[in-house]
Amino acid sequence: MRNASEFGRCAGAEIEVRLARTESDDLLIDVIDRRTDFPSFDQAVAGHLGQGLWRITQYGATLSWHPDSDGKTVRAVLGATQAP
């Protein structure tokens, strides 16, 4: 959330967080912001730009992101058997 609020926030735009559980009990965490780019995604995941995204990978999450017409979604998928 801190990464999204610091880097993804556009003037006056809100950040949205969605949590969902899949049929196989994986946890999906989506963070949606209004910027369409994420130029330093790999560096952020590696922990070079803070530790939020890196830390969730330490719990076994798979991270991805994709742009859309309204911004982008950063998704973490945490498998049910991977949770601490």
Side-chain angles (χ1 to χ4, degrees):
M1 280 298 298
R2 182 171 161 247
N3 284 348
S5 66
E6 188 172 334
F7 300 110
R9 181 172 291 185
C10 296
E14 295 186 12
I15 295 168
E16 185 177 345
V17 176
R18 295 181 193 162
L19 300 175
R21 191 180 80 192
T22 67
E23 289 181 15
S24 60
D25 286 332
D26 292 344
L27 175 63
L28 303 180
I29 305 167
D30 288 342
V31 178
I32 300 112
D33 65 48
R34 300 302 159 226
R35 288 190 58 169
T36 57
D37 64 337
F38 199 151
S40 303
F41 178 76
D42 292 333
Q43 288 178 306
V45 172
H48 300 300
L49 301 174
Q51 294 195 353
L53 295 178
W54 173 82
R55 189 165 307 279
I56 198 162
T57 64
Q58 301 308 294
Y59 290 111
T62 302
L63 296 175
S64 62
W65 76 279
H66 65 273
D68 61 36
S69 60
D70 294 326
K72 73 173 170 293
T73 299
V74 177
R75 173 171 281 181
V77 180
L78 186 60
T81 60
Q82 296 169 320

